[in-house]
Amino acid sequence: MSQFITLLQRYHQQLELHYGGLLTQDIRRAITDMLHCKSDPTRYTQWHCGHCQHDQQLLASCGNRSCPQCLHQTTSNWLAKQTDKLLPVHYFMVTFTLPYEFRILARKHPKTLYQLMFKVTSNLLKDFASREDKGSLGFTSVLHTHNRKRELHPHLHIIIPCGRYDAGKQQWHKGDNHYLFNAFSLAKVWRARMLDAINHAIELTLPNEIPKKWVVDCRKVGFGLSSLQYLSRYLYRGVLPDKDIINITDENVTFRYKEGKTDIIKTRELPVLKFLWLILQHVLPKGLQRVRDYGFLRGNAKQLRLKISLLLGVIVGKVYKQQKVMKHAVCICPFCQYEMHFLGVNRLRN
């Protein structure tokens, strides 16, 4: 069992007493799911082996996207699908970060605020591209809510292929491998549009202090694969893997992280309850889609991507070795090592 869930089982009542006022309905739902994940004897999955006729029951997973024990296959599937979309061009990563002063909004109204972040950044990038009149962009936006120390730090990573597709002329315009957009101009417009969007949102209120300069980072990231691999690590497996929790006592938890600027491994020690809250504050609202594809990278643009790849002289999915996408959970028979058939989830009745 996950070390985080073990701690949650032991301290969840104390957590409620100390942080009850901050626990949203979504966080409480995630806690309930994780407390029952692979530990509820009344809920199990049924499997059958067609080769040796062995039947097997396994305790059911909760399937919550914040659970560190679940959705590992979902992460692999997402990376496989994104890898199959890669084009033989250079890629850029643009990162839009909300200033520290807006963290209170992220805690109180995460769904509204994060939706605005997606809307503002996507329109901003499309508008910057339209000024150059070379066709439309394709890009993938991924929401991260934490920094390396796991503090609340909302930001969007956006992966953009270097090039544009002109639908009218059915042409691919090769981009500059060393330049996408001016980061300072992006930051200036990002600040203005985000403030305007928050002003017009009914449930949001601007903080008293607003920094004049916001941060947008725009950099080359090679041919895209390494960046997709990095982004996939925090999508569906919780925000802190078990391997990074290096010491647990009755009072404190110590975990390690890599400092961004120096790549030095550092440690952070926190009281148990504060550690649990540190992780749980990143539970996303129900229904919020944290990964979104735009332009020729959207899900229903497969034929368009095929056309672009032909213009580039390659076949979609052949830039890198095509990854296998698992459409269902897999269980291997302990006796004959054949893949078993999933029969469903059952619940025992008293």
Side-chain angles (χ1 to χ4, degrees):
M1 179 177 290
S2 161
Q3 294 186 76
F4 176 79
I5 294 180
T6 300
L7 285 170
L8 198 58
Q9 289 177 334
R10 184 176 176 183
Y11 292 96
H12 75 275
Q13 292 182 343
Q14 296 178 44
L15 181 73
E16 183 68 41
L17 289 174
H18 284 78
Y19 289 96
L22 297 175
L23 300 180
T24 64
Q25 182 179 355
D26 294 298
I27 294 176
R28 286 195 168 93
R29 183 186 298 111
I31 291 173
T32 300
D33 288 345
M34 288 187 279
L35 290 177
H36 291 86
C37 184
K38 298 183 180 179
S39 63
D40 185 352
T42 67
R43 189 169 179 270
Y44 61 92
T45 55
Q46 185 73 44
W47 300 83
H48 174 73
C49 179
H51 183 257
C52 70
Q53 306 306 309
H54 171 67
D55 289 302
Q56 182 166 306
Q57 294 178 349
L58 299 174
L59 293 174
S61 302
C62 68
N64 193 295
R65 61 179 169 177
S66 298
C67 178
Q69 298 182 150
C70 293
L71 305 183
H72 287 224
Q73 192 60 58
T74 305
T75 299
S76 300
N77 285 349
W78 178 82
L79 181 58
K81 290 177 180 178
Q82 293 295 331
T83 301
D84 288 343
K85 294 180 183 180
L86 285 173
L87 299 172
V89 298
H90 288 268
Y91 280 71
F92 285 85
M93 180 187 285
V94 184
T95 303
F96 293 88
T97 303
L98 271 184
Y100 170 87
E101 290 80 2
F102 289 79
R103 291 183 184 181
I104 189 170
L105 287 182
R107 289 194 182 96
K108 292 184 176 180
H109 306 286
K111 192 168 188 177
T112 302
L113 184 65
Y114 296 156
Q115 295 279 30
L116 287 180
M117 289 175 65
F118 278 109
K119 182 178 180 180
V120 169
T121 53
S122 62
N123 288 336
L124 187 159
L125 289 172
K126 291 175 184 177
D127 288 346
F128 267 65
S130 66
R131 295 175 186 176
E132 300 177 0
D133 195 27
K134 293 181 180 179
S136 60
L137 290 173
F139 53 94
T140 297
S141 299
V142 179
L143 172 67
H144 279 179
T145 61
H146 60 86
N147 57 19
R148 293 173 187 260
K149 296 175 70 174
R150 271 53 180 192
E151 296 165 334
L152 190 61
H153 182 72
H155 56 283
L156 282 176
H157 290 299
I158 304 180
I159 302 294
I160 307 176
C162 184
R164 320 278 172 81
Y165 178 69
D166 188 329
K169 298 179 180 179
Q170 296 190 11
Q171 291 179 346
W172 175 262
H173 292 277
K174 182 179 178 181
D176 185 339
N177 295 343
H178 303 284
Y179 177 83
L180 181 67
F181 301 123
N182 183 281
F184 295 104
S185 297
L186 287 173
K188 186 176 181 180
V189 179
W190 156 239
R191 180 185 186 277
R193 293 194 182 183
M194 197 64 193
L195 293 179
D196 183 64
I198 293 174
N199 254 330
H200 285 85
I202 297 176
E203 57 193 82
L204 300 183
T205 303
L206 288 172
N208 293 328
E209 295 184 6
I210 301 172
K212 293 182 179 180
K213 292 185 178 181
W214 289 23
V215 177
V216 173
D217 183 78
C218 184
R219 66 179 65 187
K220 293 190 303 179
V221 288
F223 289 94
L225 180 61
S226 60
S227 296
L228 290 173
Q229 291 170 335
Y230 165 75
L231 296 177
S232 71
R233 294 174 196 163
Y234 305 107
L235 282 181
Y236 305 104
R237 316 187 202 186
V239 300
L240 184 68
D242 256 14
K243 64 181 178 64
D244 289 333
I245 301 176
I246 57 178
N247 189 45
I248 298 175
T249 66
D250 290 338
E251 293 83 23
N252 298 311
V253 178
T254 303
F255 65 91
R256 63 188 174 194
Y257 65 94
K258 182 183 290 187
E259 191 176 61
K261 294 182 179 179
T262 63
D263 280 344
I264 296 175
I265 300 297
K266 294 191 173 183
T267 61
R268 187 178 185 189
E269 184 178 14
L270 293 172
V272 174
L273 295 182
K274 191 172 183 179
F275 168 77
L276 291 174
W277 168 244
L278 181 76
I279 303 303
L280 289 170
Q281 67 180 326
H282 302 294
V283 171
L284 292 177
K286 183 178 180 181
L288 178 71
Q289 186 180 352
R290 69 179 306 171
V291 183
R292 307 186 185 189
D293 297 315
Y294 300 87
F296 54 78
L297 292 182
R298 66 187 186 275
N300 61 355
K302 187 174 181 179
Q303 292 300 317
L304 178 56
R305 286 193 298 276
L306 177 60
K307 184 181 294 185
I308 292 172
S309 68
L310 292 174
L311 291 172
L312 291 169
V314 297
I315 302 298
V316 168
K318 298 302 181 182
V319 177
Y320 294 93
K321 182 178 180 181
Q322 193 163 13
Q323 304 295 313
K324 183 179 180 181
V325 176
M326 305 299 295
K327 296 183 179 180
H328 55 80
V330 175
C331 180
I332 303 300
C333 178
F335 294 99
C336 66
Q337 305 303 309
Y338 275 71
E339 185 176 319
M340 302 183 75
H341 300 290
F342 175 65
L343 302 181
V345 178
N346 297 319
R347 184 179 291 275
L348 295 176
R349 296 181 179 179
N350 295 328

